[in-house]
């Protein structure tokens, strides 16, 4: 009888304390009785609550892939800085991060590890971000097998191969449903890339700036490679691509874990070409200010956060959103309620806090566009395809990690295919699988 916890995230975009953190008070056992923690990947909604568990006394092992170790500590350190900068007392101390590191065990894809006397863990590629893993737990001697997808992409991207379906046995499948909605179907990648390139070109013709709010991990690297390729192939003119925030650090981590990347990138790197090094990409350091970049023209700027919820992107946004000839292009998923999602829904008059805490009014005059399809998640069809390949109908299928109406929508379809074995658990619900 072992207790394993898979992923423990926070919602960094939530407004209230209780919406931000998981209900640690409702875990049915004391945290020190958890035998092992397994982390699927380095996004805050999957690992951001880890410091909290250590604060409350957890001292057991934490399993994750090696790139996840590096990305996670980079992101948690950054979270600490961001909270402090915003005048919020961080919910952990930096020494908690050191304690986590002492208990972290890196595991490679495909290697079977005993994480408890009766439980074996195997990670497989999830195709979502660098080092992202699908978690397979083998319980007892062939008694039960659980697959927990974390976030998955069942399609190749520039950076990664598609999610693995190589599980010898699966009884219980727990899958994410981020794009489970009826209309969540993405355009083919070529179309998506062409749309981005043509938006960049039409803006450069007007001498405008191009601001691309993006997640620091994954999307930024992918967009950088696409733009660098486009410049080298003369599809767009030679213009600087400024990258701000943690994008450079995260890019360096990608370059040092080439064995986790797509075959194409691995081959390129084996032949001495580093796709993460571009003569057009300029990290924004103290020598040039955001104002200088935004006030000049014909620049491409990539900066976190991707949903305009904090991060250096806001400074650029305040300036560039007022330039009629410029454009803001959203390239990743916008959670409902975030500034990014409200702007995409038509918000044009807004107020933002400046660095000294004063509220300023802002009218958006630039173009606003969304280029869908770069997502690190499966779209609805890819999700259904993935389930078809992995789910065996020998146990329950749980739908999690999605807006309620999208999950219900998926459930309706899957109920029709698989009958009553499909569940959409509510918060704090308990299931007995055996
Ligand atoms: Zn994720
Ligand atoms: Zn997620």
């Amino acid at each position: 009888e072992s207790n394993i916890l898979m992923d423990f995230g926070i919602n960094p975009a939530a407004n209230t304390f209780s919406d931000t953190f998981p209900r640690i008070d409702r875990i049915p056992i004391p945290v020190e009785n958890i035998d092992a923690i397994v982390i699927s990947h380095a996004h805050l909604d999957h690992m951001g609550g880890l410091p909290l568990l250590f604060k409350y006394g957890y001292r057991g092992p934490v399993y994750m892939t090696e790139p996840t170790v590096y990305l996670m500590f980079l992101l948690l350190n950054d979270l600490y800085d961001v909270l402090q900068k915003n005048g919020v007392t961080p919910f952990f101390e930096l020494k908690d991060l050191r304690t986590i590191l002492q208990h972290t065990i890196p595991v490679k894809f495909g290697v079977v590890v005993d994480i408890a006397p009766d439980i074996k863990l195997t990670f497989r590629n999830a195709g979502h971000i660098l080092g992202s893993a699908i978690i397979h737990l083998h319980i007892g001697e062939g008694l039960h097998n659980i697959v927990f997808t974390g976030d998955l992409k069942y399609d190749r991207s520039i950076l990664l191969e598609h999610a693995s379906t190589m599980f010898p046995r699966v009884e219980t499948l727990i899958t994410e449903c981020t794009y489970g909605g009826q209309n969540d179907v993405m355009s083919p990648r070529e179309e998506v890339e062409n749309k981005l390139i043509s938006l960049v070109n039409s803006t450069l013709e007007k001498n405008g700036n191009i601001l691309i709010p993006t997640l620091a991990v994954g999307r930024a690297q992918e967009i950088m490679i696409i733009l660098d390729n486009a410049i080298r192939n003369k599809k767009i003119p030679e213009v600087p691509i400024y990258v701000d925030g943690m994008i450079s650090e995260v890019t360096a981590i990608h370059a040092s874990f080439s064995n986790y990347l797509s075959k194409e990138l691995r081959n390129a790197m084996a032949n001495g070409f580093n796709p993460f090094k571009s003569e057009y990409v300029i990290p924004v350091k103290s020598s040039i200010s955001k104002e200088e970049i935004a006030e000049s023209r014909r620049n491409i700027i990539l900066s976190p956060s991707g949903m305009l919820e904090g991060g250096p992107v806001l400074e650029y946004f305040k300036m560039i959103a007022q330039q009629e000839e410029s454009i803001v292009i959203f390239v990743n998923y916008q959670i409902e309620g975030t500034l990014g999602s409200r702007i995409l829904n038509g918000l044009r008059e807004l107020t933002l806090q400046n660095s000294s805490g004063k509220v300023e009014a802002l009218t958006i005059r630039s173009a606003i566009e969304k280029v869908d399809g770069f997502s690190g998640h499966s779209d609805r069809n890819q999700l259904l395809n993935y389930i078809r390949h992995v789910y065996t109908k020998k146990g329950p299928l749980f739908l999690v990690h999605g807006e309620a109406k999208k999950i219900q929508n998926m459930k309706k379809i899957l109920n029709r295919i698989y009958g009553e074995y499909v569940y959409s658990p509510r918060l704090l619900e308990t299931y007995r699988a055996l």
Side-chain angles (χ1 to χ4, degrees):
E1 291 277 311
S2 308
N3 300 303
I4 308 295
L5 179 64
M6 290 186 280
D7 283 356
F8 199 70
I10 57 167
N11 177 1
N15 291 321
T16 63
F17 188 85
S18 60
D19 282 346
T20 306
F21 297 102
R23 293 295 302 268
I24 194 168
D25 56 321
R26 297 293 291 270
I27 295 179
I29 53 163
V31 287
E32 59 269 26
N33 287 8
I34 298 172
D35 293 291
I37 296 174
V38 186
I39 298 292
S40 66
H41 68 286
H43 276 152
L44 286 174
D45 62 321
H46 294 258
M47 58 67 180
L50 210 46
L52 219 51
L53 291 172
F54 279 81
K55 199 171 164 171
Y56 284 98
Y58 179 73
R59 289 295 180 272
V62 187
Y63 297 92
M64 63 188 78
T65 66
E66 212 179 351
T68 301
V69 179
Y70 285 84
L71 292 172
M72 183 176 93
F73 283 98
L74 191 66
L75 290 172
L76 287 176
N77 267 300
D78 180 65
L79 177 66
Y80 185 89
D81 290 344
V82 169
L83 290 173
Q84 265 198 332
K85 244 184 240 163
N86 294 344
V88 180
T89 312
F91 60 93
F92 58 92
E93 293 170 53
L94 289 177
K95 72 171 176 11
D96 296 328
L97 298 188
R98 281 198 296 275
T99 316
I100 299 177
L101 190 57
Q102 285 160 2
H103 290 82
T104 297
I105 303 171
V107 176
K108 288 189 167 62
F109 286 158
V111 176
V112 182
V113 184
D114 286 299
I115 59 169
D118 51 349
I119 298 181
K120 289 179 167 58
L121 159 75
T122 317
F123 282 140
R124 296 279 177 197
N125 173 38
H128 169 62
I129 60 166
L130 184 74
S132 63
I134 293 176
I135 299 168
H136 179 269
L137 296 181
H138 177 86
I139 298 163
E141 287 304 319
L143 191 61
H144 199 84
N145 294 274
I146 298 176
V147 167
F148 173 75
T149 65
D151 291 345
L152 90 144
K153 180 148 188 89
Y154 195 40
D155 189 17
R156 294 192 55 215
S157 60
I158 289 182
L159 293 179
L160 307 168
E161 292 297 317
H162 68 67
S164 170
T165 55
M166 285 196 345
F167 303 103
R169 275 187 52 190
V170 180
E171 275 82 33
T172 295
L173 174 63
I174 308 169
T175 182
E176 66 124 323
C177 293
T178 310
Y179 281 107
Q182 216 162 4
N183 304 318
D184 290 340
V185 179
M186 288 169 207
S187 320
R189 291 204 64 95
E190 214 188 347
E191 219 172 89
V192 175
E193 282 179 29
N194 287 340
K195 181 174 176 192
L196 177 70
I197 289 170
S198 93
L199 286 173
V200 168
N201 276 328
S202 57
T203 308
L204 290 176
E205 274 162 28
K206 290 186 281 183
N207 281 326
N209 284 319
I210 297 113
L211 175 62
I212 306 180
T214 169
L215 295 163
V217 182
R219 201 65 31 79
Q221 289 70 33
E222 197 151 353
I223 302 287
M224 267 165 56
I225 291 179
I226 291 167
L227 293 175
D228 175 69
N229 260 328
I231 295 179
R232 281 189 294 109
N233 293 321
K234 311 247 178 286
K235 286 185 184 167
I236 53 179
E238 289 190 15
V239 289
I241 305 167
Y242 289 102
V243 297
D244 207 329
M246 285 184 312
I247 293 177
S248 303
E249 287 87 340
V250 173
T251 304
I253 296 175
H254 278 72
S256 45
F257 286 104
S258 59
N259 49 336
Y260 283 82
L261 297 169
S262 68
K263 236 180 244 154
E264 228 173 308
L265 289 190
R266 252 182 294 153
N267 288 343
M269 290 171 94
N271 290 326
F273 174 75
N274 182 353
F276 298 103
K277 229 173 153 185
S278 160
E279 55 180 304
Y280 307 106
V281 171
I282 306 169
V284 179
K285 299 275 182 258
S286 45
S287 55
I288 181 161
S289 72
K290 295 179 180 38
E291 285 77 18
E292 279 173 78
I293 297 168
E295 290 313 326
S296 62
R297 292 294 189 272
R298 291 173 66 82
N299 299 309
I300 301 175
I301 302 142
L302 266 62
S303 177
S305 69
M307 305 182 199
L308 293 184
E309 293 287 310
V313 71
L314 281 176
E315 296 302 313
Y316 294 104
F317 178 74
K318 281 177 205 164
M319 296 180 270
I320 289 174
Q322 302 187 46
Q323 302 168 355
E324 234 168 88
E325 64 281 19
S326 295
I327 190 169
V328 181
I329 307 176
F330 291 94
V331 290
N332 56 258
Y333 187 74
Q334 305 293 317
I335 295 177
E336 243 177 49
T338 56
L339 183 56
S341 123
R342 285 185 289 143
I343 289 172
L344 277 177
N345 287 330
L347 179 75
R348 290 296 176 268
E349 307 273 343
L350 56 146
T351 52
L352 283 172
Q353 263 189 359
N354 68 14
S355 48
S356 50
K358 259 202 190 144
V359 176
E360 288 173 351
L362 173 74
T363 303
I364 299 177
R365 296 201 167 79
S366 69
I368 300 288
E369 281 283 349
K370 171 171 93 162
V371 182
D372 254 345
F374 289 121
S375 177
H377 292 273
S378 302
D379 75 358
R380 178 191 177 81
N381 293 336
Q382 291 159 5
L383 266 180
L384 290 171
N385 248 333
Y386 189 80
I387 293 169
R388 199 171 305 137
H389 275 95
V390 172
Y391 182 52
T392 57
K393 290 173 267 186
K394 289 180 184 146
L397 167 58
F398 292 104
L399 307 177
V400 297
H401 194 293
E403 286 164 22
K405 61 176 191 288
K406 300 195 176 197
I407 289 187
Q408 285 318 314
N409 203 287
M410 283 280 281
K411 186 164 181 271
K412 228 193 262 167
I413 292 219
L414 291 165
N415 271 147
R416 244 176 271 152
I417 308 173
Y418 300 118
E420 290 163 25
Y421 257 13
V422 187
Y423 301 94
S424 53
R426 274 176 307 202
L427 294 180
L428 303 176
E429 258 179 2
T430 308
Y431 285 81
R432 215 188 154 80
L434 299 180

